[in-house]
Amino acid sequence: MAIDNSVAEETAREAGLDFVRDIIRDDLDSGRRAGIVTRFPPEPNGYLHIGHAKSICLNFGVAEEFGGVCALRFDDTNPAKEEQEYIDAIMQDVRWLGFDWGERLFHASDYFEQLYDWAEHLIKAGDAYVDDQSQEAMRANRGTLTEPGTNSPYRDRSVEENLDLFRRMRAGEFENGARVLRAKIDMGSGNINLRDPVLYRIVNAPHPRTGTTWHIYPSYDFAHGQSDAIEGVTHSLCTLEFADHRPLYDWLIEKLPVPSRPRQIEFARLNLTHNVLSKRVLTALVRDGHVDGWDDPRMPTFAGLRRRGVPPEAIRAFVKAIGVSRADNLVDVAMLDHAIRDVLNRTALRRMAVLRPLKVVIENYPEGDGEDLEAVNNPEDPEAGTRPVHFGRELYVERDDFMEDPPKKFFRLAPGREVRLRYAYFITCREVVKDASGEVTELRCTYDPETRGGNNPPDGRKVKATLHWVSAARAVPAEVRLVDRLFLSASPDASNFAADINPDSQEVLTGAMIEPAAAAGNDDTPLQFERQGYFRRDRDSVPGKPVFVRTVGLRDSFAKAMAKG
Ligand code: ATP
Ligand code: MG
């Protein structure tokens, strides 16, 4: 039976549901399925990226919602490209996102023997043959979108000869690429995937799990559907590029004595602006040194997002917000930032950090004196309580918060100008000290003792700006890394991505000064540096010099754009 997903999708849209869940509900309600079994099937040839989060949330999500089960299945059919390092990282990442496969940890390699038997089954039924054509000849004979292919001269080999050659392929008698096993379908098909697709290749490489047992490995098309059938997968959810493979998926299920009949449903990949969600490209970024490893905070990998301080709840909320459809689309990365802020605004502890310090001396504050003022840890969460912040005669403020000759709309510090220091006092700039080159090195200010706590004075005087600051006596020096988008264009060209890398994708500030409470936190506590954004302490921290990575800035351009409409 041919399944037309587009009809189902339209129905689902009208009902306000996503089309995958709608199909599943319908399959259950109609009794076509008794339960739900799904799988997330990564190939362990790289690290997972945020695109995979969409697939993970969908597969594990529907299993959870419909009382079914979901497996983690490694599609480990190409030992030339796959590594244990990736297998371990993928398991860590799926758990981190918040999903659990329980006992259902599978590998396509678990089924190599069964798959091999089914390949012989096809040969014996006259549905598969060993082809000796060179790769070039095969490519040339495949035809094009508009022209049919040409039958291989080896297509009509006898069953006996095919079996003999295939067994010798298995035994390791031949060089890589010398022969392949192909399904015998139709070289004239309008669908290129049905033009005698390759089922087995000779790959003389050790496999992370099966060692040197095998010299031939099944293709994706041969392994995937049959693995689904072995596991009793009911709905095999994959991305749109496999839509044209569905007739082959169904052909193999039809031809083979498989224990169950899964149904393949395709959905649109996640594409994200200013990102390339492709393991090939991400691998190249790491390999060619454009980034500092798979967990570089600029990478859209789980490892990178985690190191940047993105909470898994935010990724799940983001995936939920973008929905599941069959139409290809490009999601604004601002939507992800929005989801991250939404979580961190509720959870992050507020701290004061001066990223580019400018010294302030409070001339009327007694030398050697100091006091503790009370600062709120999280205005969104009263339970988070307060902390003391130290105030004294010498402070740091943000260099950007001072202008000697300010334009009209600049309300922060300037000669003669009064501002509020958050939680502390009103201060007025009295004098600007410069070095020989004319650079401002220090501001001499006075404070108003009647504004303690940052409150308005009894005379009702008001100020237009509130600045963050840190006490020079207690400040801890820190390094702060401001991470920005990795690619300049919204939709980078994957074939020429290197030319599009943002040269300013990471600004490293080595001279930041932070309040001691920010330095004391443990690695996983998300922090908001007031007026600067959300930050996470990085593993590059050393004693006495913490390093912070900015997870996301405070400004929400997405919410603004939404409000404008
Ligand atoms: P890439 O294109 O990055 O190399 P892939 O598709 O080869 O990724 P797999 O390991 O085969 O990576 O992916 C595992 C599952 O995740 C597949 O079902 C695939 O369809 C899905 N997936 C991969 N990328 C995305 C994406 N951008 N959006 C949604 N699902 C994705
Ligand atoms: Mg793939």
Side-chain angles (χ1 to χ4, degrees), residues 12 37 43 53 70 96 103 161 278-279 347-348 414 417 457 470-471 507 524:
V37 180
E43 183 181 354
C70 180
W96 177 73
E103 305 281 286
E161 192 183 359
S278 147
K279 280 188 290 196
T347 54
R417 175 85 54 80
V470 293
S471 149
E507 190 181 355
D524 281 326

Side-chain angles (χ1 to χ4, degrees), residues 174-432:
F174 310 117
E175 295 295 303
N176 288 352
R179 298 188 154 83
V180 292
L181 183 74
R182 299 177 76 175
K184 194 171 182 177
I185 307 181
D186 179 6
M187 289 304 291
S189 172
N191 182 340
I192 291 185
N193 293 292
L194 294 180
R195 293 182 190 168
D196 294 6
V198 171
L199 304 180
Y200 269 90
R201 284 191 183 80
I202 298 172
V203 183
N204 290 297
H207 185 282
R209 298 189 78 246
T210 59
T212 52
T213 308
W214 293 90
H215 299 275
I216 53 172
Y217 290 92
S219 62
Y220 170 88
D221 286 314
F222 190 61
H224 203 89
Q226 282 46 255
S227 301
D228 286 341
I230 291 169
E231 292 166 12
V233 167
T234 53
H235 298 84
S236 182
L237 309 175
C238 62
T239 35
L240 283 182
E241 68 270 26
F242 294 105
D244 289 344
H245 295 239
R246 175 148 40 93
L248 173 57
Y249 186 103
D250 291 341
W251 185 89
L252 287 164
I253 293 285
E254 197 79 42
K255 291 280 179 189
L256 293 169
V258 290
S260 80
R261 309 189 113 255
R263 170 178 183 177
Q264 177 178 303
I265 303 171
E266 309 88 20
F267 63 93
R269 297 175 83 80
L270 168 63
N271 301 301
L272 200 56
T273 56
H274 303 287
N275 279 280
V276 183
L277 301 185
S278 147
K279 280 188 290 196
R280 184 185 61 77
V281 170
L282 298 178
T283 306
L285 285 170
V286 173
R287 188 196 53 218
D288 301 343
H290 294 295
V291 295
D292 179 25
W294 286 99
D295 68 349
D296 186 298
R298 292 166 293 183
M299 291 278 274
T301 50
F302 280 46
L305 293 163
R306 184 162 54 230
R307 184 161 172 205
R308 212 177 99 198
V310 174
E313 305 89 286
I315 298 177
R316 293 198 303 266
F318 164 71
V319 167
K320 194 165 177 191
I322 59 175
V324 181
S325 87
R326 247 186 85 83
D328 250 326
N329 60 358
L330 178 62
V331 174
D332 191 337
V333 71
M335 226 174 134
L336 174 61
D337 291 346
H338 179 74
I340 297 169
R341 283 190 197 97
D342 201 46
V343 174
L344 293 180
N345 181 43
R346 282 183 270 118
T347 54
L349 296 178
R350 273 53 170 178
R351 295 292 182 251
M352 291 201 282
V354 175
L355 305 192
R356 301 168 185 86
L358 174 60
K359 190 150 188 202
V360 167
V361 178
I362 311 287
E363 292 184 315
N364 59 338
Y365 198 88
E367 228 156 315
D369 253 19
E371 64 190 299
D372 278 343
L373 299 162
E374 191 180 41
V376 171
N377 282 330
N378 184 355
E380 303 291 318
D381 176 14
E383 306 240 308
T386 62
R387 70 189 185 283
V389 289
H390 184 261
F391 186 87
R393 185 178 156 89
E394 298 201 348
L395 313 169
Y396 295 112
V397 297
E398 210 67 64
R399 206 159 259 280
D400 294 353
D401 282 339
F402 170 79
M403 280 185 92
E404 192 171 15
D405 188 14
K408 252 195 156 149
K409 294 219 162 136
F410 186 88
F411 298 117
R412 292 165 277 160
L413 267 180
R417 175 85 54 80
E418 186 171 44
V419 299
R420 173 191 285 108
L421 294 184
R422 184 129 159 100
Y423 300 121
Y425 293 100
F426 282 23
I427 62 165
T428 305
C429 176
R430 303 290 175 189
E431 194 190 330
V432 180

